[in-house]
Amino acid sequence: NDREILSVAVDPRDARRIWAGTSSGLYGSRDGGVHWSYVVSGLITRVIDVALDPVHPDTLYVATAGLEGPSVEGIVRSTDAGTTWKLLRQGLESAYPWQDHVRLAVDPQVPNVVYASFYESPAPGTRPDVTYRSTDNGIHWTATEGGFPLAVDRNGVVYAGDRRSTDHGATWQQAAAPPDLATRYAASAAADGTLWAATGQSGVFRSRDRAATWQASSGGLHATVVTSIAIDPQTPRVIYAAAGTEIGRASCRERV
């Protein structure tokens, strides 16, 4: 219904079950996107990002940006597949109102560890991009050394901006940022140290060495604005990119 789709998450147990965050709330599908229903739960808001607990997929984390009127703003969690929600903002107060650029991730090895990455366009007096970490399912948050955007591979290695953590966000090492501002990261489903970056002006970049170096990887995209990137978990060599151009948007599929 002409709503802007801002984020998508797929249930790892059942690929027919999909969540879509839109400019006016959260929608769900149980038949692979053939039919959609609005999640009626008082979550009146823009849904910027959605992340599922990979061990308990009925647990959803949603990054929201308030609309005019009685709306929710912050990170919220549902443990019953979207029926009820709890606002999680303890420790995140300074991260808002940076709500239009938020990425969420749940550690697949330690699912009580959740990450939230924020980005604000550089301007005098503003803070740089920042990542927050929670070790208690989002109840309490602490700022970390990481930045924007964010990805966690299946072994729990975290990539956040120009930082990398191999111990579930407890400590961080310097990594390299892509040559252009990244809008999304996607870690290889094979957990082989390959990381993909969608960028706002330069297409797609790939790192084969855990974000130590990056190479351009945009052959065939025919677009420089890439808003999102995803890897097929069953066929890790298949990558999907959402691309924008001056005349419209497109989705591209590449086998690499």
Side-chain angles (χ1 to χ4, degrees):
N1 296 328
D2 298 324
R3 289 173 175 81
E4 182 183 8
I5 299 174
L6 306 175
S7 52
V8 175
V10 180
D11 189 328
R13 301 170 306 179
D14 182 359
R16 297 170 300 176
R17 194 181 192 194
I18 310 172
W19 303 93
T22 78
S23 55
S24 58
L26 183 67
Y27 286 77
S29 173
R30 293 183 176 273
D31 55 12
V34 177
H35 302 91
W36 294 90
S37 60
Y38 179 64
V39 179
V40 181
S41 60
L43 197 66
I44 306 169
T45 185
R46 286 167 53 85
V47 176
I48 305 301
D49 204 20
V50 181
L52 305 182
D53 182 327
V55 178
H56 308 99
D58 283 342
T59 296
L60 289 78
Y61 295 88
V62 170
T64 69
L67 301 169
E68 294 182 2
S71 59
V72 177
E73 183 173 279
I75 294 176
V76 295
R77 182 190 67 207
S78 173
T79 58
D80 52 17
T83 301
T84 59
W85 297 88
K86 178 180 178 61
L87 181 63
L88 309 170
R89 289 193 63 170
Q90 188 165 342
L92 287 175
E93 293 84 359
S94 62
Y96 280 81
W98 294 7
Q99 67 271 26
D100 281 335
H101 302 283
V102 187
R103 300 291 181 258
L104 300 175
V106 182
D107 192 315
Q109 297 291 323
V110 190
N112 60 290
V113 176
V114 187
Y115 304 91
S117 178
F118 297 81
Y119 170 75
E120 176 76 354
S121 298
T126 63
R127 292 173 54 188
D129 53 335
V130 63
T131 292
Y132 286 77
R133 173 177 177 257
S134 171
T135 59
D136 56 8
N137 304 101
I139 297 174
H140 303 91
W141 298 86
T142 304
T144 75
E145 298 179 31
F148 183 96
L150 172 70
V152 184
D153 73 17
R154 70 180 188 184
N155 289 332
V157 177
V158 191
Y159 300 91
D162 62 354
R163 296 289 190 274
R164 176 183 64 240
S165 175
T166 58
D167 56 7
H168 310 285
T171 62
W172 297 83
Q173 301 85 45
Q174 182 69 44
D180 184 28
L181 176 66
T183 56
R184 289 268 184 183
Y185 281 161
S188 170
D192 58 0
T194 300
L195 185 67
W196 298 83
T199 70
Q201 296 182 341
S202 304
V204 173
F205 287 85
R206 175 177 59 193
S207 172
R208 295 184 182 272
D209 51 15
R210 300 187 184 278
T213 60
W214 293 88
Q215 298 81 39
S217 184
S218 294
L221 279 178
H222 308 297
T224 57
V225 178
V226 180
T227 57
S228 192
I229 191 165
I231 300 170
D232 186 326
Q234 301 299 321
T235 312
R237 292 178 61 84
V238 175
I239 316 295
Y240 294 88
T245 68
E246 292 182 355
I247 59 174
R249 297 178 183 273
S251 331
C252 300
R253 176 181 182 272
E254 182 73 19
R255 183 178 292 271
V256 297

